[in-house]
Amino acid sequence: MTFERKIRIAPSILSADFADFGREIRAVEDQGADWVHVDVMDGHFVPNLTFGPPAVAAFRRHVTTVMDVHLMIAPVDPHIAAFAAAGADILTAHVEAGPHIHRTLQAIRAGGMRAGVALNPGTPAEAVEPLLDVADLVCVMTVNPGFGGQQFIDTGDKVRRLRAMIGGRPVHIQVDGGIDEATAPLVARAGADVLVAGSAVFRGGSVDEPAAYGRNIEAIRRAALSATGAMA
């Protein structure tokens, strides 16, 4: 993957039809998704259980863009090899998930993946400043992790601080939680370039009527681009 700082929309399949993940993934990609975001939760670090490596490997067969795997688990290190084998392109770990996040990011890169580091809403941007030379992505949570469909928490100031810290480094700023047509401009204007959206993408559509997915993705993208001045 070549680095390019532009607005990308990454639908979270946590909001998809669990009985039809393969067709859901193909539908959102066909309708304009740039990445496919997979939320892995362990019921320990966050109060929910979702997917493990076998499910991620099953998703991989259908993903033709970028499979962006967000680990909301602790500990992370014992599972890195399994998610690499499952086919993750990007693997993101939380800075709050363990005491040796620098080593975790190194291990993710050593496994052939791009390394992401995530920040909960209550964690300051400065927590990842020492990691920016070993990270490919910083994920700013705009909800407390654990469930889809939560209310957006404004983290614009944090995103702006991160953008200044990153400078010219090839590091994406991703935002995750409560992103829709109304909130996308707030984070895009602050400097985010990868927008994770779940219910706002899948709302009103289905695998049999996927055009709504495309309209939702395009609405979020246009709102973000307009806020950055990239589109009138």
Side-chain angles (χ1 to χ4, degrees):
M1 294 180 290
T2 302
F3 180 85
E4 184 181 1
R5 194 176 299 286
K6 65 176 185 178
I7 296 296
R8 290 174 168 84
I9 309 300
S12 169
I13 61 169
L14 192 62
S15 295
D17 179 355
F18 278 33
D20 211 352
F21 275 126
R23 287 208 300 157
E24 288 278 49
I25 289 167
R26 294 193 298 272
V28 292
E29 287 192 332
D30 288 346
Q31 292 296 323
D34 300 293
W35 295 2
V36 173
H37 188 82
V38 181
D39 290 304
V40 174
M41 305 181 190
D42 64 359
H44 166 67
F45 182 68
V46 293
N48 199 3
L49 284 167
T50 58
F51 316 115
V56 173
F59 303 153
R60 175 76 269 179
R61 296 196 296 270
H62 303 280
V63 176
T64 63
T65 55
V66 172
M67 188 162 66
D68 169 33
V69 179
H70 177 191
L71 300 182
M72 288 168 272
I73 68 174
V76 172
D77 292 12
H79 306 286
I80 291 172
F83 283 103
D89 294 305
I90 302 169
L91 196 65
T92 296
H94 272 256
V95 71
E96 305 90 356
H100 307 299
I101 187 64
H102 192 283
R103 183 167 64 197
T104 297
L105 297 182
Q106 289 177 317
I108 291 170
R109 281 184 163 185
M113 299 167 286
R114 291 196 177 187
V117 57
L119 293 164
N120 284 336
T123 302
E126 289 72 21
V128 300
E129 189 169 11
L131 306 170
L132 294 177
D133 289 324
V134 292
D136 300 289
L137 176 147
V138 178
C139 174
V140 177
M141 294 303 297
T142 43
V143 298
N144 286 295
F147 294 95
Q150 296 184 67
Q151 185 174 355
F152 174 81
I153 298 170
D154 188 353
T155 56
D157 286 344
K158 183 187 293 188
V159 173
R160 278 186 284 273
R161 291 198 300 276
L162 281 168
R163 187 68 193 87
M165 289 178 198
I166 288 168
R169 294 179 178 91
V171 178
H172 293 291
I173 299 178
Q174 181 180 78
V175 289
D176 183 0
I179 298 300
D180 58 20
E181 189 177 353
T183 58
L186 304 177
V187 293
R189 190 180 299 115
D193 56 283
V194 181
L195 312 184
V196 176
S199 56
V201 166
F202 288 94
R203 183 183 300 121
S206 70
V207 290
D208 295 317
E209 296 183 2
Y213 299 164
R215 290 192 295 271
N216 294 338
I217 289 169
E218 182 61 19
I220 295 168
R221 192 189 309 277
R222 282 181 174 274
L225 288 172
S226 179
T228 65
M231 175 182 287

